[in-house]
Each structure stands twice: as structure tokens, then as C-alpha cells.
């Protein structure tokens, strides 16, 4: 079938908005009509060419929501008409990871997903007769996509696609990191670096968990206003602390947290020096530093082992520790119940034809999340 899509033909170049061809779902796969998709910083990262798993040509996008239109042979967990979010961390409920109960990192189809392929090693999209890779198993920059059944989360039928598409990554990553990743305790102190689409959700997650002091750190002071609305109690612009010296930033933050550091830190920019700084900003004896930002292959983090010996802990989280099919609907319900605010963070809704401008806005630091609505 013909579908409308934004195709990334090569790294670093604007996307081409055109008609592409999509095959029917193979056994175990699901055809979804995507109504809305958010644009996450990770899409920009892969488009930049820095992602070692970046394959081109590809249809990017991993923050979508829509309706199941057709299911392949053997699919039982969803049916046509179901409202769903495709999830880039699937949940097979059978692999060693899923059965462990210790992680959300299902391993069932990770290899082919990283190669831009469906689990059977083929592609569903093509453009001008040539195969087009799938991105993070989702490819939501197309108004129809095919994904494996284990990567489909069924959600509340009343949830508006144009808002809950963002639950497909940024919201769940942020809120889940506080709730399920770090398990933030009431009355704690927190530092969050990067007040963007993910960081602001970390902040609302920490507020929900009862944190008493939430310090937001960003080089763009325009982000502070929204962060305050979401629960940030104090703002720090690193550029104003000894001209961006990160040792000075660390000392400044530690002092703000009472002299021994923050109970929790969350790094949401992908800057590896800031990741080190956030580990060192964590409280002596127990501080937990959580890495969320994605950095390119070859980039490393590293601190003096003494920092760990003296009780600081380092963790990372993908998709906020959320199990794809089990937990994504819970975050949608939290939005539907008014427990979390998603709408204020969606600062632009655009037609697919304007997607390149949305990437430019992200680069310029304008707005928080842009959503593409296929109905526009
Ligand atoms: P975003 O562009 O919306 O926000 C990034 C923010 O970081 C911006 O406000 C920017 O001003 C700020 N920033 C950049 N450099 C900074 C610096 N040196 N110091 C302080 N602030 C700085 O991006 P996003 O969508 O929120 O994504 C944030 C990061 O999280 C990206 O690296 C993305 O790839 C990653 N991510 C990870 C996961 C995961 O599961 N681990 C999920 C989603 C996104
Ligand atoms: N191909 C990338 C992977 C980067 C990465 O860590 N991605 C996160 C999701 S970011 C969503 O915006 C993730 O889910 N990681 C777990 C996994 O298995 O990829 C790279 O840099 O190599
Ligand atoms: Zn994302």
C-alpha cells in the first residue's frame, strides 16, 4: 500500500516527504495507522549520523500512537480497531530478560531491530523500488507502519493520539526513570541536567515521588519557566558558574544540596562530561546518578573510582525501566487520570510536510516537544 512518510535518505540531510510503499504484515506482525508522532532528540541523533546503528535510507520516528488496522497470521494480543502505541522496547514475556523480572530490556528481537529489519530479516517499507530500513522497530514518521506484535502496547481507547504519542518515549522515559528507575524517595534532593522533552518529565516524576528540592540545569535559560511549572525548585545555568567550568558546577550544586550532594541526579542531555559531573554531584554514601542521555559510539564516561568507593552509584535507564506492553498503558492512564501533565509540553503540532522545520526548532532550542499530526 502507499503511505505518506518522511524518509531519511542519508545522514545529515533534510528528510524527504513523499509516498512510500508498505507491505502487509507478515506472521506475528501488526499494521498500525499512525495518527500522531512526537519528535525525540534521539531521532535527531540518529539523523546526524553519529548513531552506530544508524541505517539509511530509513523512516525515523519512535514516539507514535494509532489504531491497529490489520494483523498478520498468529497475532492474538491485539485486533483491528485497538488503540495502540508501538514500543521500541518490546516485551515478549518469554526471553531471559523478560522472565528475570529485573529489567525491561527484552532481547527477543533486539538484533534485527538494531539492523533496521523486521524479526524475519526483511523490510516492510520501500521507496522507488528499493528497501527502506525500519527505525527502532517503530518508524512512526509514516502514517502507517508495521511492527512486531510484541512491540504493540494496547492503550485506553479514549486517550487522544496527539498527546499520548509522546508516552511512546519522552514521557515514559522521564517519569519512569524517577518512578521505576531511580525509585526516588520522598523528601529527597534531585538534580536534573537538560530541561527538554525528557528532563521535564523526570522533574514531574520526581515531584510526584515527593522530592523536596529539584534543581534543574540547562544552558538555555528559556527552559526554566516550564521547568518551574513542572516542579523545579531551583534553576542553574552552567554558563553562569565560572564560565561553564564543570568542577565549579559540581561544587555549586553540592552546596545547594546541603554540602554532601544530591540524593539523585539525572543526566538528560547526552553530554558525557556532564554525566561524570552528575556522578560526582551525587551524595557521598548513597547518591544515585542516573544516565538517560544518549551519547555516540566512542564517547566514554569516567570518574575517579574513589567516587564510587565512597558510596555513589551509577545506573542507566532505557525507556524509564518501563516494560513495553505492561507499563506503557499505565503511563497513558496516569495522563488520563490527571496525575501527569503531557499537554503543556507539546509546544507545537504540525503537518508532516513541516517536519524538517521541527528538527531545526529542536536545534535552536525552541519549544519542548513537537508532534506531527497526520490529519493536519
Ligand atoms: P531535548 O533536545 O528536548 O532537550 C535537551 C536539553 O538539554 C535542552 O533543553 C538543551 O538546552 C539541554 N542541554 C544540551 N546541552 C546541555 C549542556 N551541556 N548543559 C546543560 N543543558 C544542556 O532532548 P530530549 O528529547 O529531552 O532528549 C534528551 C536526551 O535523552 C537525548 O540525548 C536523547 O537521545 C536521550 N533520550 C534517552 C532515552 C532513554 O531511554 N535513555 C529516551 C529518550 C531520549
Ligand atoms: N542505537 C543507539 C542506541 C541508543 C539508546 O541507548 N537508545 C535507547 C532509547 S533512546 C530513545 O529516545 C534505548 O532504548 N536503549 C536500549 C537499547 O537496547 O538500545 C546507540 O547509540 O547505539
Ligand atoms: Zn526517544
Amino acid at each position: 500500500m502507499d503511505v505518506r512518510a518522511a524518509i531519511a535518505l542519508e545522514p545529515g540531510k533534510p528528510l524527504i516527504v513523499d509516498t512510500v510503499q508498505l507491505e502487509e504484515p507478515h506472521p506475528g506482525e501488526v499494521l498500525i495507522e499512525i495518527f500522531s508522532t512526537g519528535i525525540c532528540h534521539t531521532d535527531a541523533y540518529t539523523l546526524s549520523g553519529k548513531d552506530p546503528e544508524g541505517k539509511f535510507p530509513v523512516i525515523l520516528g519512535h514516539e507514535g500512537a494509532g489504531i491497529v488496522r490489520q494483523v498478520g497470521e498468529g497475532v492474538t494480543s491485539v485486533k483491528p480497531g485497538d488503540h495502540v502505541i508501538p514500543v521500541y522496547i518490546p516485551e515478549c514475556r518469554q526471553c531471559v530478560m523478560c522472565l528475570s523480572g529485573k529489567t525491561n530490556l527484552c532481547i527477543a528481537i533486539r538484533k534485527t531491530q538494531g539492523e533496521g529489519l523486521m524479526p524475519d530479516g526483511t523490510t516492510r517499507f520501500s521507496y522507488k523500488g528499493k528497501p527502506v530500513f525500519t527505525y527502532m522497530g517503530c518508524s512512526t514518521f509514516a502514517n502507517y507502519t508495521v511492527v512486531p506484535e510484541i512491540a504493540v502496547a494496547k492503550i485506553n481507547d479514549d486517550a487522544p493520539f496527539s498527546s499520548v504519542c509522546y508516552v511512546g518515549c519522552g514521557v515514559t522515559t522521564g517519569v519512569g526513570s524517577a518512578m521505576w528507575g531511580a525509585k526516588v524517595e520522598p523528601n529527597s534532593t534531585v538534580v536534573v541536567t537538560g530541561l527538554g522533552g525528557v528532563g521535564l518529565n523526570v522533574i514531574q516524576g520526581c515531584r510526584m515521588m515527593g522530592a523536596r528540592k529539584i534543581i534543574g540545569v540547562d544552558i538555555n535559560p528559556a527552559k526554566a519557566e516550564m521547568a518551574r511549572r513542572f516542579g523545579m525548585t531551583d534553576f542553574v545555568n552552567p554558563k553562569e558558574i565560572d564560565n561553564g567550568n564543570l568542577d565549579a558546577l559540581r561544587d555549586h550544586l553540592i552546596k545547594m544540596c546541603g554540602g554532601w550532594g544530591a540524593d539523585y541526579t539525572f543526566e538528560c542531555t547526552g553530554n558525557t562530561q556532564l554525566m561524570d559531573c552528575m556522578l560526582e554531584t551525587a551524595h557521598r554514601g548513597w547518591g544515585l546518578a542516573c544516565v538517560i542521555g544518549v551519547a555516540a559510539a566512542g564517547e566514554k564516561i569516567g570518574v575517579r573510582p574513589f567516587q564510587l568507593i565512597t558510596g555513589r552509584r551509577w545506573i542507566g535507564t532505557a525507556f524509564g525501566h518501563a516494560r513495553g506492553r505492561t507499563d506503557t498503558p499505565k503511563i497513558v492512564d496516569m495522563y488520563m487520570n490527571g496525575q501527569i501533565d503531557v499537554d503543556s509540553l507539546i509546544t507545537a503540532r504540525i503537518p508532516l510536510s513541516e517536519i524538517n522545520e521541527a528538527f531545526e526548532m529542536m536545534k535552536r532550542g525552541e519549544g519542548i516537544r513537537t508532534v506531527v499530526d497526520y490529519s493536519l
Side-chain angles (χ1 to χ4, degrees):
M1 68 190 281
D2 284 352
V3 310
R4 280 191 304 131
I7 314 138
L9 289 177
E10 48 185 315
K13 293 281 162 60
L15 307 182
I16 306 293
V17 177
D18 207 343
T19 301
V20 303
Q21 282 66 51
L22 178 62
E23 266 185 43
E24 292 200 347
H26 288 197
E29 297 175 357
V30 177
L31 172 73
I32 303 171
E33 181 177 0
I34 299 290
F35 285 83
S36 301
T37 178
I39 302 171
C40 171
H41 201 110
T42 309
D43 296 307
Y45 158 72
T46 302
L47 182 58
S48 75
K50 289 184 186 157
D51 181 350
E53 290 183 309
K55 297 269 182 155
F56 296 84
V58 66
I59 295 172
L60 297 168
H62 60 283
E63 211 172 58
I67 299 181
V68 173
R69 294 302 185 200
Q70 192 185 336
V71 298
E73 196 187 310
V75 170
T76 56
S77 61
V78 287
K79 57 182 187 315
D82 283 351
H83 292 211
V84 296
I85 287 178
V87 285
Y88 59 85
I89 299 193
E91 187 185 350
C92 73
R93 298 174 177 155
Q94 288 174 356
C95 74
V96 62
M97 303 285 170
C98 288
L99 291 177
S100 74
K102 295 179 183 181
T103 178
N104 64 334
L105 295 170
C106 174
I107 206 67
I109 57 170
R110 182 63 185 84
K111 185 171 183 296
T112 46
Q113 182 170 313
E115 293 164 344
L117 302 171
M118 299 302 286
D120 68 3
T122 62
T123 61
R124 295 294 159 273
F125 288 105
S126 57
Y127 183 55
K128 296 185 175 167
K130 297 205 174 112
V132 172
F133 292 108
T134 299
Y135 179 59
M136 291 174 72
C138 292
S139 286
T140 58
F141 293 169
N143 67 334
Y144 286 84
T145 192
V146 170
V147 306
E149 176 184 15
I150 59 169
V152 182
K154 184 171 155 27
I155 59 163
N156 183 331
D157 279 350
D158 297 328
F161 297 126
S162 181
S163 299
V164 298
C165 59
Y166 187 10
V167 173
C169 184
V171 174
T172 306
T173 299
V175 173
S177 295
M179 213 166 49
W180 297 317
K183 300 186 178 76
V184 169
E185 289 181 347
N187 211 31
S188 48
T189 54
V190 175
V191 176
V192 180
T193 59
L195 306 178
V198 171
L200 291 170
N201 279 296
V202 171
I203 288 181
Q204 73 168 327
C206 291
R207 175 171 65 182
M208 216 173 54
M209 299 297 282
R212 83 179 147 83
K213 192 178 190 74
I214 305 176
I215 305 171
V217 177
D218 204 298
I219 48 176
N220 180 355
K223 305 278 176 147
E225 190 195 333
M226 185 73 85
R228 281 190 206 286
R229 280 172 58 186
F230 274 69
M232 180 184 77
T233 55
D234 305 81
F235 175 69
V236 175
N237 181 348
K239 289 180 183 167
E240 290 173 1
I241 310 296
D242 195 9
N243 273 324
N245 178 302
L246 293 184
D247 289 344
L249 176 68
R250 174 201 59 209
D251 293 346
H252 182 77
L253 293 168
I254 288 176
K255 205 181 274 175
M256 286 176 78
C257 293
W260 293 106
D263 296 318
Y264 302 91
T265 67
F266 296 87
E267 204 303 306
C268 311
T269 73
N271 179 312
T272 49
Q273 284 152 7
L274 215 41
M275 291 176 192
D276 290 347
C277 176
M278 282 304 103
L279 184 277
E280 295 182 354
T281 298
H283 203 290
R284 179 183 166 92
W286 64 75
L288 183 68
C290 181
V291 173
I292 299 175
V294 170
E299 295 211 42
K300 296 258 164 64
I301 52 178
V303 295
R304 207 182 144 210
F306 174 77
Q307 295 285 348
L308 299 170
I309 287 170
T310 46
R312 294 168 193 84
R313 297 166 297 152
W314 228 340
I315 63 165
T317 175
F319 198 41
H321 277 44
R323 291 161 295 175
R325 291 193 283 166
T326 302
D327 295 327
T328 307
K330 293 184 190 165
I331 300 284
V332 169
D333 290 342
M334 285 170 69
Y335 161 71
M336 295 299 284
N337 299 335
Q339 287 170 273
I340 54 171
D341 180 5
V342 170
D343 294 312
S344 305
L345 298 178
I346 299 175
T347 43
R349 288 191 165 89
I350 58 163
L352 184 65
S353 56
E354 290 172 19
I355 194 164
N356 287 305
E357 173 55 14
F359 277 98
E360 291 305 316
M361 278 169 61
M362 184 187 281
K363 257 189 219 158
R364 294 195 297 265
E366 289 169 20
I368 305 299
R369 218 27 148 222
T370 299
V371 163
V372 170
D373 278 330
Y374 288 100
S375 61
L376 295 175

